[in-house]
């Protein structure tokens, strides 16, 4: 293999750039030319492809987002659209592809692999919703952004006898909520896994206020579970707290990646290159018990999401 391509796809995540840098530098140091494909699978189909040299990835390890851009392209599920992508790869004599993204991007990589293009997936998503890896690139940075913001809300909440309801990203996977809830000492954590019962939430908050004489309370809730503004109004009406809602939104996607995300992305990128150079295809890299491993994509896509029951129980013991 003499030439490989790299693209970022789906939702962006801090640390994607560190992975791009790692793939480019690792490839170049082993005599491989690396081509950047801009705007994910869309750029592959539209031939937005350019060779990258060492200087192109200088200093990007500290930048959030992705210098290659990301996009979603529903039509990539169609065979004829993927054929167009393969023609472009052939035109540039690109023989292998590193795809940085989530499960959706993995499906695209698997489809290309099945059409004869060597592909390796690298997990990146702030939601940590890729079941095949313990951690994905971007999760740690997003979690730290949430912690920073929740800590600030706590300061003002305790001055005003408030209950802050904070909506965080991650609907399919409640990891941001549960990890943030534990690390900020939130009173309540609500995710898809815990379920949502409005009456129970109000009763628990009132109980916390009365029995523990708390000056404030924090509720961390995953997105798309309920309208947090309405919940805050009900908290004001039915408990002794004054309820306030905050939706953290896209702020969670940005920022310079943490040390942990930079290391993980760097290791993943380098491993992806090694796999391609060893003629491996149709796999994704992952972290399992702290080790960097690789897994066949069809198997990876079938792994069920982990339950966080142990973490919820830990949280309950400490509230
Ligand atoms: P993520 O990779 O973050 O999970 P998406 O689910 O939006 O994000 O997927 C990213 C892109 O991957 C899609 O826009 C599409 O181009 C491609 N993709 C998703 N599913 C498939 C599939 N079954 N076959 C081919 N390509 C797919």
């Amino acid at each position: 293999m003499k030439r490989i391509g790299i693209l970022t796809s789906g939702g962006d995540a801090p640390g994607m750039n560190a992975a791009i840098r790692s793939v480019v530098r690792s490839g170049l140091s082993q005599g491989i030319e690396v081509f950047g494909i801009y705007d994910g699978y869309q750029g592959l189909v539209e031939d937005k492809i350019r060779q990258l040299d060492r200087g192109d990835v200088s200093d990007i390890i500290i930048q959030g987002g992705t210098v290659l851009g990301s996009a979603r392209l529903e039509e990539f599920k169609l065979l004829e659209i993927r054929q167009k992508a393969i023609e472009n790869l052939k035109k540039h004599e690109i023989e292998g592809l590193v795809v940085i993204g989530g499960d959706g991007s993995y499906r695209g990589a698997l489809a290309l692999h099945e059409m004869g293009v060597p592909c390796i997936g690298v997990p990146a998503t702030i939601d940590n919703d890729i079941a095949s890896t313990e951690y994905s690139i971007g999760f740690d940075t997003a979690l730290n952004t949430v912690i920073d913001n929740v800590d600030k809300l706590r300061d003002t909440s305790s001055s005003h006898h408030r209950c802050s309801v904070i909506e965080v990203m991650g609907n399919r996977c409640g990891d941001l909520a549960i990890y943030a809830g534990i690390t900020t000492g939130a009173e309540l954590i609500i995710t898809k896994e815990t379920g949502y019962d409005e009456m129970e939430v109000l009763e628990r908050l009132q109980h916390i206020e009365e029995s523990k004489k708390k000056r404030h309370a924090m509720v961390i809730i995953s997105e798309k579970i309920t309208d947090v503004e309405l919940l805050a109004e009900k908290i004001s009406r039915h408990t002794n707290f004054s309820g306030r809602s905050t939706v953290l939104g896209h702020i969670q996607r940005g920022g310079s990646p943490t040390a942990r995300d930079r290391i993980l992305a760097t290791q993943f990128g380098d491993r992806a290159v090694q796999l391609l150079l060893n003629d491996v295809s149709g796999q994704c890299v992952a972290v399992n018990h702290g080790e960097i491993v690789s897994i066949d994509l069809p198997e990876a896509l079938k792994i069920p999401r982990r339950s966080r029951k142990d973490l919820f129980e830990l949280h309950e013991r400490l509230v």
Side-chain angles (χ1 to χ4, degrees):
M1 198 169 282
K2 286 271 163 268
R3 284 185 172 186
I4 61 172
I6 177 167
L7 62 82
T8 49
S9 166
D12 69 339
M16 279 181 159
N17 283 327
I20 295 167
R21 172 181 176 272
S22 175
V23 168
V24 171
R25 295 268 169 102
S26 177
L28 290 175
S29 73
Q30 296 175 85
I32 303 297
E33 292 179 330
V34 185
F35 283 68
I37 296 151
Y38 290 80
D39 300 333
Y41 292 124
Q42 191 178 322
L44 191 56
V45 173
E46 293 172 3
D47 195 16
K48 292 194 208 158
I49 300 174
R50 183 172 79 78
Q51 188 166 358
L52 299 173
D53 62 26
R54 283 187 70 81
D56 289 320
V57 293
S58 292
D59 300 336
I60 67 169
I61 195 166
I62 68 168
Q63 290 172 25
T66 159
V67 292
L68 292 178
S70 188
R72 292 197 163 89
L73 180 70
E74 262 305 294
E75 295 81 4
F76 205 69
K77 293 177 183 164
L78 305 173
L79 189 73
E80 63 269 29
I81 298 293
R82 291 199 300 277
Q83 262 152 358
K84 181 99 194 61
I86 291 174
E87 277 166 32
N88 287 331
L89 288 172
K90 285 197 176 130
K91 191 168 106 186
H92 294 278
E93 295 176 15
I94 295 170
E95 297 161 284
L97 204 57
V98 177
V99 172
I100 304 172
D103 278 343
S105 305
Y106 280 8
R107 287 195 180 86
L110 178 60
L112 284 175
H113 158 77
E114 284 166 352
M115 293 169 78
V117 179
C119 284
I120 300 293
V122 171
T125 146
I126 64 157
D127 295 348
N128 212 31
D129 62 353
I130 304 173
S132 52
T133 186
E134 281 161 9
Y135 293 103
S136 57
I137 297 168
F139 174 66
D140 189 60
T141 307
L143 175 60
N144 279 285
T145 301
V146 174
I147 291 173
D148 273 358
N149 283 281
V150 174
D151 288 351
K152 285 175 180 141
L153 285 166
R154 174 182 290 278
D155 292 343
T156 163
S157 284
S158 55
S159 314
H160 292 279
H161 207 79
R162 259 183 207 146
C163 171
S164 279
V165 181
I166 302 138
E167 182 186 290
V168 300
M169 280 188 166
N171 174 252
R172 293 195 312 154
C173 170
D175 278 14
L176 267 181
I178 179 72
Y179 278 77
I182 289 176
T183 50
T184 59
E187 276 65 29
L188 275 183
I189 303 170
I190 304 165
T191 71
K192 215 168 193 174
E193 191 175 338
T194 62
Y196 176 64
D197 177 336
E198 189 180 270
M199 274 310 291
E200 192 192 322
V201 168
L202 297 173
E203 279 166 14
R204 285 192 63 173
L205 286 172
Q206 184 60 3
H207 175 73
I208 283 169
E209 201 273 342
E210 285 169 2
S211 66
K212 300 191 176 162
K213 305 274 176 271
K214 292 240 181 189
R215 294 182 50 79
H216 63 82
M218 314 291 289
V219 178
I220 308 234
I221 180 166
S222 299
E223 65 185 339
K224 296 179 196 153
I225 287 189
T226 191
D227 181 327
V228 289
E229 206 178 321
L230 278 181
L231 174 59
E233 276 172 29
K234 287 187 182 159
I235 290 170
S236 296
R237 247 182 286 136
H238 299 290
T239 76
N240 295 333
F241 288 118
S242 156
R244 291 292 161 93
S245 64
T246 304
V247 177
L248 291 184
H250 276 80
I251 205 152
Q252 296 162 91
R253 283 195 180 282
S256 177
T258 57
R260 187 174 181 155
D261 274 334
R262 293 182 199 191
I263 294 266
L264 194 64
T266 302
Q267 289 177 308
F268 279 159
D270 178 64
R271 179 62 66 90
V273 173
Q274 303 311 333
L275 289 168
L276 283 177
L277 293 185
N278 286 316
D279 292 325
V280 176
S281 174
Q283 291 200 342
C284 57
V285 294
V287 60
N288 187 8
H289 295 111
E291 296 280 318
I292 307 294
V293 297
S294 59
I295 307 166
D296 283 332
L297 280 171
E299 188 196 325
L301 287 166
K302 273 191 229 132
I303 296 174
R305 201 173 309 291
R306 279 175 299 274
S307 163
R308 295 303 189 197
K309 194 163 167 278
D310 53 339
L311 290 179
F312 285 113
E313 286 169 358
L314 167 65
H315 174 255
E316 284 295 308
R317 283 197 292 280
L318 305 185
V319 174

